[in-house]
Amino acid sequence: MKLIIAAIKPFKLEEVREALTTIGVRGMMVTEVKGFGSQSGHTEIYRGAEYAVNFVPKVKLEIVVSASMADQVIETIRETAGTGKIGDGKIFKLDVESALRVRTGETDGDAL
């Protein structure tokens, strides 16, 4: 099993969710986060005063899938979340040692 962690632009969330559902992803965790990378924040003007925005809002997706499906999930996120502009985000793939569905006690692949 693999854990896919993706940080994407917030307005792309629904489009990415729909694309992942289409390829068979059955669940994900979504968290609103702030961070910076190459973008390093920016300045904005509010009521005539300029101020620095050091952290950029993002949405973090956490998805656990079978190892055989991981590359398809990553490619789907990349295609759907990408705008071609700076700040599109990052995707990470990690190994998952085990999984357990609390309600039924199912483990590993059955728990997904």
Side-chain angles (χ1 to χ4, degrees):
M1 294 177 297
K2 300 291 182 181
L3 169 62
I4 310 298
I5 300 173
I8 64 171
K9 292 182 175 185
F11 70 90
K12 286 291 196 170
L13 175 60
E14 189 57 28
E15 188 178 346
V16 169
R17 186 201 60 78
E18 287 175 8
L20 290 173
T21 301
T22 300
I23 65 165
V25 172
R26 298 187 327 179
M28 70 178 73
M29 291 182 279
V30 178
T31 311
E32 292 181 9
V33 296
K34 292 180 182 182
F36 71 92
S38 304
Q39 256 178 310
S40 300
H42 59 282
T43 58
E44 290 186 2
I45 297 176
Y46 179 72
R47 294 190 176 182
E50 187 174 319
Y51 64 97
V53 177
N54 295 319
F55 293 99
V56 180
K58 298 287 182 192
V59 172
K60 180 172 79 169
L61 308 177
E62 296 174 87
I63 307 160
V64 178
V65 294
S66 64
S68 62
M69 193 176 184
D71 290 336
Q72 182 183 15
V73 169
I74 290 169
E75 186 58 24
T76 299
I77 295 169
R78 189 193 68 76
E79 289 175 355
T80 311
T83 65
K85 297 183 176 139
I86 193 167
D88 276 350
K90 295 272 193 293
I91 303 173
F92 304 98
K93 177 171 73 170
L94 294 84
D95 290 325
V96 173
E97 187 174 319
S98 66
L100 174 97
R101 185 186 308 265
V102 174
R103 179 177 54 86
T104 63
E106 293 169 298
T107 59
D108 299 331
D110 294 333
L112 300 181

